[in-house]
Amino acid sequence: MPPVSEAALRAAVMRLDPASGVEFDREFHAAWEQALQQDSTVPMHTFLRRWAVFVSLHRFPGRSARVRELERLVGAASSLEEARAAANEVGRLLAAAESEIAGR
């Protein structure tokens, strides 16, 4: 897991999913503007945390594929129970990603 910094996360995102690099840059600039307007570091911390979770989830191909499959299952679920089961597993993967980031 790379350090939770703009440069390290940008490099990781570009390596893991270059198409997401555009979104990373757009969100970075929006967070920067918001931080300046609010005179607060909270928007930048939120931005960094969001992308650290993305990197944590997608840095292992199997986990990345599972996240994408679960997202598809939630969208295609034919019952509330199916959607909840897939969403619960997404929640567990997100919790594991948060733990990984916190343990750095």
Side-chain angles (χ1 to χ4, degrees), residues 22-32 44 47 50-51:
V22 173
E23 184 179 354
F24 180 96
D25 286 335
R26 184 184 56 73
E27 288 185 16
F28 172 76
H29 293 296
W32 181 258
M44 292 307 296
F47 165 82
R50 179 239 188 288
W51 284 97

Side-chain angles (χ1 to χ4, degrees), residues 34-104:
Q34 188 178 16
L36 291 173
Q37 290 173 359
Q38 295 177 358
D39 193 26
S40 171
T41 60
V42 171
M44 292 307 296
H45 287 285
T46 302
F47 165 82
L48 291 172
R49 182 59 121 211
R50 179 239 188 288
W51 284 97
V53 168
F54 176 91
V55 168
S56 178
L57 286 175
H58 295 285
R59 67 193 196 104
F60 297 108
R63 183 164 48 187
S64 182
R66 184 63 181 154
V67 167
R68 294 185 196 286
E69 175 64 11
L70 289 167
E71 289 171 341
R72 188 195 67 71
L73 289 172
V74 168
S78 60
S79 71
L80 186 56
E81 292 77 25
E82 286 179 17
R84 279 190 180 141
N88 284 337
E89 188 173 345
V90 169
R92 287 189 295 276
L93 290 171
L94 287 170
E98 285 286 344
S99 292
E100 184 176 337
I101 294 163
R104 284 205 46 65

